[in-house]
Amino acid sequence: MKILSVVGARPQFIKLAPVHLAAQKFGIEHIVVHTGQHYDPSMSQLIFSDLGLPNPKYNLEIGSGSHAFQTGNMMIGLEPIISAENPDWVLVYGDTNSTIAAALSAVKIHTKVAHLEAGLRSSNRAMPEEHNRIATDHLSDILFAPTEQAMIQLEKENLGEKSYLVGDVMVDACLTVKENAIHVSSKDKVSNYVICTIHRAENTNSKNRITEILQKLANINFEVRLVAHPRLMAKCDEFGIDLHNFGVHVLPPLSYSQMVKAVLGAVGVITDSGGLQKEAFLLETPCVTVRTETEWPETVSSGWNILDPEISSDVEAFFVHKRSAPDIAVYGDGLAAEKMISVLLENAI
Ligand code: UD1
């Protein structure tokens, strides 16, 4: 069996790592195509080398641009590669423009598609990721749901028959890195800093919104370490905002191991990232999510995450509040990637 994975954005490189290991374990040929959506060394090469991933066989080097520019050019680049490689499965990850471009390219030339992280919904139709994930689920031949909630959603959309509950591949990645790299116990926090990331379009597309968020961060009574995504830096440059004027400690993008370590040692996380909310939960660090909705409701119902788009709650009290350990089994057992490869093997013919 031959699988062709298409990745392009940082969180997809992290999800790729356990999949690549599982493919190796099962002795399966695994081709990796990088669309080039994320291209800065700190967003791409740093993650590949940190996780011991080989260089992709193909890199389309599409880069940044409008949704249509990215998606269209990715499709033009992907079609001949998928045709030439003729894999049994094209595997697509999450909800980025690289995901929808790969799914659409593959189905058009009758190559089977499997979608990892299927069934997640924010119900926010303004998010580009929401269009990408709904369309990808409906295009794919096999859907891998990370949670029971995602399975229920897929059944509601009449996609239950082709769906498999395998758990979340980010758990595989996160727990491996935690075990290998970390000696800081989450119960033994010595640091009083907060890890913060802000990159989503709705939080970075206007000068007012960015300034508002930075002012809220400046008022927090812990050291705020802002790990700055290139989109935030680019928007601050465009709007003439100097990040250093807000009393926050600005850091460049981190490798995955560095991020896991930083979250483990933090008193709390403030983020608008989908992935980081869940990593905070897995690492027993409370999280304030700067959004009105989440694709990971289990993190909220457990009391470890709150949705607070205006950062108006008592963040300090929320972070230090004593709570019982989260039930991380809602996101699987750390073997999601192996389960996925088994399903693909069973359905290869
Ligand atoms: C994309 C995904 C988002 C995911 C995020 C993870 C879509 C629609 N969005 O958002 O779901 O959470 O990746 O990081 O696919 N830039 C650089 N260097 C890079 C990459 C980006 O400078 O290596 C800057 C550019 O100014 C670019 C902007 O960031 O225009 C946005 O990049 P883009 O890939 O369009 O979306 P992300 O915000 O990264």
Side-chain angles (χ1 to χ4, degrees):
M1 186 174 75
K2 183 176 185 177
I3 298 175
L4 185 145
S5 281
V6 180
V7 291
R10 183 172 53 177
Q12 295 169 329
F13 311 145
I14 299 166
K15 292 165 199 164
L16 179 68
V19 171
H20 189 67
L21 270 183
Q24 279 180 322
K25 185 170 166 184
F26 283 74
I28 283 161
E29 190 181 355
H30 185 215
I31 308 285
V32 178
V33 183
H34 189 324
T35 63
Q37 179 171 353
H38 285 173
Y39 44 89
D40 279 354
S42 63
M43 298 292 284
S44 178
Q45 190 51 46
L46 178 66
I47 308 291
F48 272 81
S49 42
D50 176 44
L51 297 175
L53 281 164
N55 284 331
K57 182 167 176 185
Y58 302 92
N59 191 326
L60 304 178
E61 297 181 356
I62 301 299
S64 301
S66 70
H67 294 295
F69 170 90
Q70 282 188 325
T71 312
N73 282 303
M74 286 171 193
M75 287 184 67
I76 292 167
L78 283 166
E79 189 181 66
I81 294 174
I82 299 171
S83 288
E85 290 288 350
N86 193 23
D88 295 281
W89 290 101
V90 168
L91 189 53
V92 301
Y93 298 66
D95 55 18
T96 72
N97 290 342
S98 301
T99 315
I100 182 67
L104 204 44
S105 304
V107 290
K108 293 280 184 195
I109 51 173
H110 311 297
T111 304
K112 288 194 289 186
V113 181
H115 183 206
L116 176 164
E117 219 175 61
L120 299 184
R121 300 290 180 263
S122 66
S123 302
N124 177 352
R125 297 271 297 166
M127 278 176 75
E129 292 81 2
E130 189 74 351
H131 319 144
N132 291 343
R133 53 172 85 102
I134 293 173
T136 302
D137 280 346
H138 286 259
L139 287 172
S140 299
D141 298 277
I142 280 194
L143 301 173
F144 292 122
T147 61
E148 272 176 32
Q149 197 63 40
M151 249 339 242
I152 292 168
Q153 181 63 35
L154 293 169
E155 277 155 16
K156 263 195 220 160
E157 294 179 29
N158 292 324
L159 299 171
E161 271 182 23
K162 55 179 180 176
S163 302
Y164 296 80
L165 176 59
V166 291
D168 181 4
V169 77
M170 281 303 271
V171 174
D172 305 18
C174 185
L175 298 186
T176 309
V177 168
K178 181 185 172 189
E179 268 167 39
N180 291 348
I182 314 297
H183 302 288
V184 184
S185 159
S186 53
K187 288 170 197 67
D188 189 25
K189 290 192 198 303
V190 285
S191 303
N192 276 346
Y193 67 88
V194 172
I195 285 288
C196 177
T197 75
I198 298 290
H199 77 278
R200 270 188 197 287
E202 65 266 31
N203 286 331
T204 54
N205 275 354
S206 87
K207 182 174 185 173
N208 282 353
R209 182 65 182 150
I210 299 182
T211 309
E212 210 173 77
I213 291 174
L214 288 169
Q215 281 165 347
K216 293 287 173 62
L217 295 178
N219 288 334
I220 291 172
N221 284 323
F222 290 115
E223 180 196 343
V224 175
R225 297 185 186 170
L226 175 63
V227 184
H229 186 287
R231 179 199 271 273
L232 178 67
M233 300 302 280
K235 288 291 175 184
C236 285
D237 272 357
E238 184 185 328
F239 300 138
I241 298 172
D242 184 352
L243 275 178
H244 301 277
N245 284 346
F246 292 85
V248 296
H249 189 71
V250 183
L251 297 173
L254 303 177
S255 74
Y256 188 59
S257 310
Q258 288 169 329
M259 191 54 143
V260 167
K261 195 169 182 172
V263 170
L264 264 179
V267 66
V269 167
I270 300 178
T271 189
D272 62 0
S273 151
L276 194 56
Q277 290 168 49
K278 189 157 34 69
E279 274 143 12
F281 175 85
L282 298 175
L283 299 170
E284 300 185 26
T285 305
C287 181
V288 170
T289 296
V290 190
R291 289 176 55 194
T292 48
E293 70 286 309
T294 179
E295 296 78 16
W296 306 105
E298 302 82 2
T299 60
V300 175
S301 56
S302 65
W304 283 83
N305 186 14
I306 47 168
L307 300 177
D308 185 8
E310 303 311 323
I311 322 182
S312 55
S313 54
D314 185 346
V315 169
E316 291 90 347
F318 176 74
F319 285 157
V320 299
H321 177 72
K322 289 264 173 281
R323 35 175 83 73
S324 46
D327 174 17
I328 65 169
V330 291
Y331 292 122
D333 56 8
L335 295 171
E338 291 187 16
K339 289 178 195 163
M340 280 189 275
I341 300 287
S342 303
V343 172
L344 294 180
L345 271 169
E346 281 161 23
N347 290 277
I349 304 142

